Amino acid sequence: MRPTQTHVLSSILSFFQLTAGIVVHAVTHLDALKRRSVMSITHKQIYFTGIQALLPVSFAAMLVGFTMETQMRGLLGSGIEINVKMLKLVVLREFAPLFTAFIVLGRSGAAIASELAAMKVQGEIRSLYLMGIDPGEYLIVPRVVACSVAVPVLTFYFQVIVAGFGPALASMLVEIELGPYYQAIFNSITLTELIMSTSKNVCFGLIIAATACSSGIYVPTSRIWIPQAAELAVMRGFILLLTGDACFALLMI
C-alpha cells in the first residue's frame, strides 16, 4: 500500500475512532445533566437545534409532500393502496429522515463545529480544564443530547406535515379522496416501523452531534481552521448519514 493511501486510511480510522469516542463519552456521562449549568446549556441547544429549525423543516416538508403527491398521482394513478405504500416507503421512511437530518446538519452541525473550533483556538477549552471543569460534560453532553432529542422530534413533525398537508395541498390540483387516504395511511403504520424509525432518527442525531463535536474539537489551534471545521462537519456528516441510512435500509428489508 502506498504511503498516501496509508495516510488517508489512517485519517479515516482516526476520525471514526474520535467520533465514536464522542458518543461513548456522552452516553457514559449523562449524569452530568443533573447539574443545573449543564441542563441549562442542554435546553439552549434543544431550542437552537429543534425549535429554531421548525420553519425550514415545515417549508421543506410542505414542498416535498405536495410535490410527491402530485407526481405519484401522475405516475401511479388514483389507487389509494399503491400511493400509500409509495408514500411510506419513499417519503416517510427515507426522504423525511434524510431531509430533516440534512437540515439539522447544515444548521446545527456546522454551528457546533465552528463554535467548538473557535473555543479551542481561543484557549477556552484549555481554560475549562484549568478551572477543573470537564469540557466533555460541559460542551459535548448537552450537544449530543440536544441533537438526539431534536432530530427524532423534527423528523416526526416532518412526516406529519408530509402525510397530512401534502395530500391536502395536492388535492387542489389532482383528485384525492382525503378521508379514505388518511385512513389508509393510519392503518398501514405498524409498531415495528415506529420503533425502527425512532431508532434510526436517534442514530442520525448522534451522528450529527458526534461528527460536529469531533470536527470542532480536534482541529489545530489556528484561526483558519474555524470555518474549515464547519465544512468538515457537514461533509463528514453527510457521508455518515447516507451510510447509516443504507444500513437501516438493509435491516428493514
Side-chain angles (χ1 to χ4, degrees), residues 28-173:
T28 55
H29 289 77
L30 290 178
D31 57 338
L33 295 174
K34 297 178 182 179
R35 301 174 186 173
R36 182 174 299 179
S37 59
V38 176
M39 199 62 191
S40 176
I41 297 173
T42 304
H43 289 158
K44 292 178 181 178
Q45 289 296 320
I46 291 176
Y47 176 78
F48 169 69
T49 304
I51 296 177
Q52 290 190 342
L54 287 176
L55 181 59
V57 168
S58 301
F59 184 72
M62 284 190 289
L63 287 181
V64 169
F66 173 77
T67 303
M68 291 302 300
E69 283 295 337
T70 53
Q71 293 298 316
M72 288 191 303
R73 293 287 167 169
L75 292 173
L76 305 176
S78 59
I80 292 179
E81 183 178 353
I82 185 65
N83 278 279
V84 168
K85 184 177 292 187
M86 185 63 68
L87 178 71
K88 277 185 56 182
L89 293 178
V90 177
V91 183
L92 301 183
R93 183 182 294 182
E94 298 298 331
F95 277 11
L98 283 176
F99 263 75
T100 305
F102 290 158
I103 291 172
V104 174
L105 176 64
R107 288 186 74 258
S108 302
I112 290 171
S114 58
E115 179 187 16
L116 294 179
M119 292 181 69
K120 180 175 182 179
V121 170
Q122 295 169 4
E124 295 180 31
I125 295 180
R126 184 171 180 272
S127 298
L128 291 175
Y129 274 118
L130 295 177
M131 290 187 293
I133 300 173
D134 184 356
E137 295 182 358
Y138 191 74
L139 300 176
I140 294 176
V141 172
R143 288 159 177 79
V144 172
V145 171
C147 285
S148 301
V149 172
V151 171
V153 174
L154 285 173
T155 302
F156 178 73
Y157 177 73
F158 192 108
Q159 293 168 330
V160 170
I161 292 180
V162 168
F165 288 93
L169 292 174
S171 65
M172 295 185 294
L173 297 179

